[in-house]
Amino acid sequence: MKALWQREVQAILQRQDFVKWWESLVALESKKEQIQERQQELLAQVNLMSFKAELTQKNAIDSLYLAGEHEDAAARRLAEAAEIENKSYEAVANFEGQRIDVSDLFSKMGAVEHRFLTRQAEVRSLRTELEGAAEKDKKAELKRHLKGKEKELGRTEKDLRESSAIYERENSRKMSLWEEVEQMWARSLDINMGVSERRIKSRQARRVAEVLFREAEDHKHKSEALQIEAEAAQKNSDEVDRAIEDQRSSARKFFGCLVGEEFLYWPRREDVNEVYCMSINDHGEGFNIELQARNIYLIHRQRGVEFIEPLPPEGKARLNKDHRLDDFFAPGGTDGGKD
Amino acid sequence: MNKVTQLQKSRLFEGLLPEEIEMLADLTQHRVVPPGELIFEQGDIGDCLYLLVAGSVEVLQQGADNSPHLIARLDAPSFFGEMSLVDKEFRSASIRTTAEAELLCLSNENLHSFARIYRNGFTLVVINIARVLSARLRETNQKLIAIS
């Protein structure tokens, strides 16, 4: 590789073929950047779509489990309702028995009441007869008879009170049995309504699961399609990479330089320990100075691009002609104490 | 931002030739620092000076109680960290931005590049730094006399 003067390197960069080479490289780099951006976007979409597919499938499975749970709950409630209905038949039978008993008691109580009223009327009649009787014997006979009837009336009254109390008690029990029957029917109705609701919920959850399974499949297909597109973009990117590599390699042949990933290098003829380098891209940071693409910089053979310097002006014969320091150090020179 | 214009405004580069300023512009790095951020801390190894081209910073020094004490505020255009180019010692104070600050950093190593090519220009930069330090020393002396 031939060492070049600074002006020779600068002349290469001005040549028409170099400008064309550079423009092609920039176009390829730009194309690569676009492809990579698109590829990254596609890969992100692939991941997102795969994640969506997995999540949707999981939700579908959850929904299916939920449908099963609703069905189980409906079955349990149905069994509970059947048991309550069976118990309600027994309760109705109990009630019927009690109703007949109470009806008998009512009849009996009516008979006792009738007997009581008859005795009451008889006592009243005897008392009237006694008040109107004139004969002594007749009065004594009526008194004895009245006494017997009053005793009977007392017994009948007691019987009436007892039979009335029994009737009230048994009637109350009958009402209580009916209330129990009604409660069972209400509970059974409540459960039956719950069963139908659970069945509807189960059907709904199954429908949701079916929709989610379809969506998951759809996401999977989309993810696969995106994956194919991303692979095509990767292939395209590889082709552009090869084209960039070819373009870079051609620089060695056409412009007599060494080709790095980020720089072109020419050995410096002015100093064998130094090398000219041209940055292929802009670099705001990452190096000791800010680099601009297509600018020439100077580096040392040993340190390479770890320490980059701007180009010095050609021919540094300035030192001898520069009198600024002489002015400063001369008596009465530059106003050194101004600050 | 035009680095050359900013460098021309600074006292540090008074007397330099246009091509020297241009090279220094190539050797400086532009940084934007959000408010409230430390640019460097007291005790850090100093390896560059900073030109404050926009915004403002505060100079903080650790007191005996270990808490930071405000010793100065600097507004653009200004500079700090120049002592490290002279004595290569640890930073004597911390610098924290009080508003978004735009800085131009010139490292020791890059200044050395400048010195290898423009020796007189480099000497002028050093003299300018010495002037600033000298002015600060005089100011401190005056304060001490006033106190005593």
Side-chain angles (χ1 to χ4, degrees):
Chain A
M1 177 133 327
K2 193 182 159 192
L4 298 181
W5 299 103
Q6 186 173 322
R7 62 177 176 280
E8 287 177 313
V9 177
Q10 280 166 334
I12 288 173
L13 266 60
Q14 299 301 319
R15 268 165 40 191
Q16 198 57 40
D17 59 341
F18 184 85
V19 173
K20 273 191 180 170
W21 175 88
W22 169 260
E23 283 170 355
S24 299
L25 184 66
V26 169
L28 282 168
E29 299 251 7
S30 164
K31 191 177 173 187
K32 184 187 169 183
E33 203 175 312
Q34 283 174 4
I35 291 169
Q36 279 181 334
E37 265 179 34
R38 175 68 186 144
Q39 194 193 3
Q40 276 170 7
E41 195 186 313
L42 283 167
L43 288 173
Q45 282 181 16
V46 167
N47 287 335
L48 183 69
M49 210 45 83
S50 300
F51 175 71
K52 266 186 167 180
E54 275 178 33
L55 188 69
T56 313
Q57 186 150 349
K58 184 190 166 293
N59 288 341
I61 292 166
D62 287 350
S63 192
L64 209 56
Y65 275 126
L66 189 66
E69 277 175 18
H70 284 313
E71 273 169 22
D72 290 348
R76 278 197 304 276
R77 286 183 162 224
L78 200 61
E80 196 183 342
E83 196 182 329
I84 290 170
E85 271 178 33
N86 287 339
K87 278 184 185 169
S88 81
Y89 297 143
E90 198 182 322
V92 167
N94 287 342
F95 168 77
E96 270 303 306
Q98 182 70 9
R99 191 183 62 76
I100 292 162
D101 289 350
V102 168
S103 184
D104 282 353
L105 285 171
F106 186 75
S107 301
K108 281 177 189 167
M109 188 178 71
V112 172
E113 192 178 17
H114 178 73
R115 209 163 57 237
F116 169 73
L117 290 172
T118 308
R119 294 288 173 271
Q120 215 173 26
E122 282 172 354
V123 166
R124 222 172 10 246
S125 168
L126 281 172
R127 278 179 185 158
T128 311
E129 205 177 334
L130 183 63
E131 278 170 16
E135 289 177 25
K136 196 178 173 183
D137 289 345
K138 179 76 174 169
K139 264 189 173 179
E141 175 64 25
L142 282 171
K143 268 185 183 175
R144 199 180 71 253
H145 195 50
L146 178 63
K147 200 175 175 182
K149 285 292 174 187
E150 276 174 346
K151 272 185 184 174
E152 258 182 65
L153 179 65
R155 275 198 302 272
T156 313
E157 192 180 4
K158 192 185 166 199
D159 286 348
L160 181 61
R161 275 201 307 273
E162 278 175 5
S163 104
S164 177
I166 289 168
Y167 170 78
E168 285 301 324
R169 190 184 69 221
E170 292 305 311
N171 191 48
S172 168
R173 188 165 167 260
K174 181 194 83 178
M175 298 306 284
S176 164
L177 283 171
W178 183 244
E179 200 176 321
E180 204 177 305
V181 168
E182 280 189 329
Q183 275 176 2
M184 280 182 182
W185 284 351
R187 176 84 185 121
S188 167
L189 179 69
D190 180 29
I191 290 171
N192 276 324
M193 294 300 104
V195 167
S196 66
E197 275 190 28
R198 289 279 173 172
R199 280 177 175 163
I200 287 288
K201 278 188 176 178
S202 171
R203 278 202 287 273
Q204 283 171 344
R206 274 189 189 281
R207 272 199 294 275
V208 168
E210 282 167 17
V211 170
L212 289 174
F213 275 124
R214 274 199 298 275
E215 266 180 33
E217 276 303 303
D218 190 35
H219 290 328
K220 269 186 207 166
H221 291 318
K222 277 185 187 161
S223 168
E224 283 160 9
L226 286 166
Q227 181 66 42
I228 290 167
E229 207 179 329
E231 282 166 9
Q234 176 64 52
K235 203 176 161 189
N236 206 357
S237 171
D238 292 345
E239 280 169 15
V240 174
D241 272 345
R242 278 194 293 277
I244 288 172
E245 194 50 47
D246 292 347
Q247 182 71 0
R248 279 189 182 158
S249 305
S250 68
R252 185 186 179 103
K253 184 176 153 193
F254 297 125
F255 313 119
C257 58
L258 285 170
V259 183
E261 281 190 23
E262 293 289 341
F263 296 92
L264 301 183
Y265 303 98
W266 288 272
R268 191 182 189 207
R269 190 147 180 198
E270 292 90 334
D271 185 338
V272 290
N273 289 316
E274 290 179 330
V275 175
Y276 291 114
C277 71
M278 188 209 81
S279 177
I280 292 174
N281 297 301
D282 284 337
H283 291 283
E285 33 189 61
F287 292 92
N288 63 303
I289 57 172
E290 291 167 13
L291 302 179
Q292 285 185 324
R294 246 180 104 184
N295 264 14
I296 306 172
Y297 299 94
L298 200 60
I299 54 173
H300 196 272
R301 275 178 185 268
Q302 298 301 318
R303 294 187 73 182
V305 291
E306 280 178 45
F307 188 73
I308 301 175
E309 293 175 292
L311 271 192
E314 274 200 283
K316 296 185 292 178
R318 185 178 303 107
L319 287 177
N320 295 336
K321 294 176 189 167
D322 191 338
H323 299 293
R324 287 175 291 167
L325 290 181
D326 300 341
D327 291 346
F328 179 79
F329 288 113
T334 314
D335 51 344
K338 154 172 106 171
D339 285 327
Chain B
M1 189 202 54
N2 187 331
K3 288 186 189 177
V4 170
T5 313
Q6 296 299 334
L7 293 180
Q8 278 168 341
K9 283 185 199 168
S10 174
R11 277 196 300 168
L12 277 184
F13 306 114
E14 268 176 13
L16 294 192
L17 298 170
E19 60 263 37
E20 291 169 338
I21 293 281
E22 269 174 32
M23 182 168 189
L24 280 169
D26 286 342
L27 290 165
T28 55
Q29 288 191 292
H30 180 234
R31 267 181 71 188
V32 179
V33 185
E37 206 159 283
L38 277 172
I39 294 168
F40 58 72
E41 265 187 288
Q42 186 177 345
D44 286 353
I45 294 172
D47 60 352
C48 57
L49 75 81
Y50 294 87
L51 293 177
L52 180 63
V53 298
S56 56
V57 297
E58 55 190 9
V59 185
L60 305 162
Q61 208 162 36
Q62 217 166 27
D65 56 352
N66 272 343
S67 61
H69 292 268
L70 179 68
I71 55 170
R73 280 184 201 281
L74 300 174
D75 294 311
S78 181
F79 58 88
F80 53 87
E82 73 288 347
M83 282 164 69
S84 72
L85 294 184
V86 177
D87 57 15
K88 294 182 180 173
E89 284 289 333
F90 299 110
R91 298 287 190 196
S92 58
S94 301
I95 301 286
R96 186 167 57 197
T97 52
T98 51
E100 186 180 84
E102 263 191 85
L103 304 165
L104 287 177
C105 320
L106 178 62
S107 70
N108 283 343
E109 215 172 14
N110 285 3
L111 188 61
H112 184 216
S113 282
F114 176 71
R116 287 200 299 124
I117 295 164
Y118 295 109
R119 291 217 177 261
N120 289 350
F122 170 71
T123 311
L124 269 177
V125 172
V126 175
I127 288 169
N128 287 339
I129 290 173
R131 277 178 180 169
V132 172
L133 295 177
S134 164
R136 285 184 193 158
L137 188 60
R138 282 172 201 277
E139 199 181 323
T140 309
N141 284 343
Q142 289 299 322
K143 281 181 186 167
L144 285 172
I145 290 165
I147 291 165
S148 63

